[in-house]
Amino acid sequence: DVNRKNKLTNNHISNIGQIYWDASAIFLWQSGENMVSNNLIEHTPYNGITVSTRAIWDAGKYKTECVNTIRWDEIIAYLGEDKDTVGIDSDWYKREPFMHARKNKVQFNEISKTMLKLADGNAIYISGSGTKNDINQNFIYDCFSLGIDAGIRCDDDQNETLIRNNIIYHIRGSGVCTKGRNDIINNLIVDLIPSGHTRGFVSLEDGAVKNSIIKKNVFYSMNDFQKVVYEAKYTTPKARLQDCVADSNLVYSHVSKKWGEDYLRKYQKQGVGKNSVSMDPHLIEYTTHNFKFSTDAVINTIGFEKINIDSIGLLK
């Protein structure tokens, strides 16, 4: 918990993990208040950026790889729980003071071609960490691996993460995945490539998503069979968009007007997204990574705020 407030900026990291595939380009474990910005990350066998404390709680303290770093007697005494019951199913806010990977700023990073060797990974991965991690204005693109899960993923035991102003373009898997109370605001997700792991532009994968804010996002599809929102049915309770604060999102398919209209019809009947729309955002120059809107329709209709892609990536 004393290793914090580091600055990792303006690095070009590529072709790592040649021997140990299960490696991230940047990995913050139990480290908070760091700035990770303006890095170019490409050609990684696994995740691009990882923020995690999950090894403390996941699957019992005797089974995970980082258990010897934890002072268990102090934790058990603080929580007032038996050593065999401390874990991922107990109260998150009571355990959060021990999750020191909090208040990290991951911003202005350019990430492509991740997950080249392994599966069940992401360009940016956050799991089992503390509050107020801010994933802001990153550009994730051209991740073609069949093993990728999502562009940005908040996995098990993760709450109070802010995912905002990111551009996710031309990747397999989901755009943004969340399993907890995490906010997804003002992101531009374009042209997801279908695969066995593709679930939705936003994938809700646990019933703990209740009260998550999902607003002012643009979901632009190049097909008509990709789901806008995936809701997991295998969790208790089930993951449901209607339990989130979801509104003012724009959904549009380049090949089918019906795609967006069906989404609105389904969820507006449930009282979700009365201000969401299905309309052409007039997105141009995305194949050259400029991502411009030829009109102000998106800005005026859902309040979308322009994302300055020129500020992303290595500094001049």
Side-chain angles (χ1 to χ4, degrees), residues 98-109:
F98 298 102
M99 299 176 177
H100 301 298
R102 65 170 67 85
K103 298 181 180 179
N104 292 292
K105 293 185 181 296
V106 178
Q107 59 187 27
F108 309 123
N109 299 287

Side-chain angles (χ1 to χ4, degrees), residues 3 6 8 13 16 20 22-31 34 36 41 46-55 65-66 101 104 125-127 129:
N3 184 1
N6 304 288
L8 299 88
I13 305 173
I16 61 163
Y20 184 67
D22 189 10
S24 301
I26 296 174
F27 190 176
L28 307 180
W29 190 82
Q30 279 289 57
S31 184
N34 300 291
V36 180
I41 296 170
Y46 191 48
N47 295 333
I49 298 173
T50 299
V51 181
S52 183
T53 305
R54 183 170 150 193
E65 60 189 16
C66 301
N104 292 292
Y125 179 70
I126 315 100
S127 184
S129 299

Side-chain angles (χ1 to χ4, degrees), residues 213-228:
I213 298 173
I214 305 174
K215 284 188 174 183
K216 299 199 303 183
N217 301 286
V218 174
F219 305 133
Y220 188 96
S221 180
M222 303 304 292
N223 59 66
D224 61 355
F225 50 85
Q226 179 94 346
K227 289 185 177 180
V228 181

Side-chain angles (χ1 to χ4, degrees), residues 194-222:
S195 73
H197 293 276
T198 298
R199 290 173 176 165
F201 279 70
V202 171
S203 289
L204 308 177
E205 299 193 357
D206 194 286
V209 298
K210 187 174 183 180
N211 297 325
S212 298
I213 298 173
I214 305 174
K215 284 188 174 183
K216 299 199 303 183
N217 301 286
V218 174
F219 305 133
Y220 188 96
S221 180
M222 303 304 292

Side-chain angles (χ1 to χ4, degrees), residues 133-178:
N133 287 300
D134 188 3
I135 315 302
N136 176 35
Q137 206 160 328
N138 302 281
F139 179 32
I140 298 167
Y141 65 98
D142 290 352
C143 298
F144 304 127
S145 169
L146 290 171
I148 191 170
D149 187 88
I152 302 172
R153 183 182 184 186
C154 290
D155 203 7
D156 294 333
D157 212 30
Q158 185 60 47
N159 295 288
E160 296 198 17
T161 307
L162 178 57
I163 300 168
R164 60 188 177 116
N165 307 322
N166 299 283
I167 300 174
I168 300 174
Y169 169 64
H170 206 214
I171 70 166
R172 294 191 192 272
S174 302
V176 177
C177 167
T178 178

Side-chain angles (χ1 to χ4, degrees), residues 55-95:
I56 292 184
W57 312 110
D58 194 21
K61 62 180 178 294
Y62 300 112
K63 299 178 182 179
T64 53
E65 60 189 16
C66 301
V67 295
N68 291 328
T69 70
I70 310 302
R71 301 196 295 269
W72 287 105
D73 290 342
E74 296 175 33
I75 290 178
I76 292 168
Y78 174 84
L79 294 176
E81 296 188 31
D82 182 86
K83 65 182 179 68
D84 295 322
T85 63
V86 173
I88 200 169
D89 293 326
S90 57
D91 183 77
W92 187 84
Y93 287 97
K94 194 174 181 181
R95 293 181 288 109

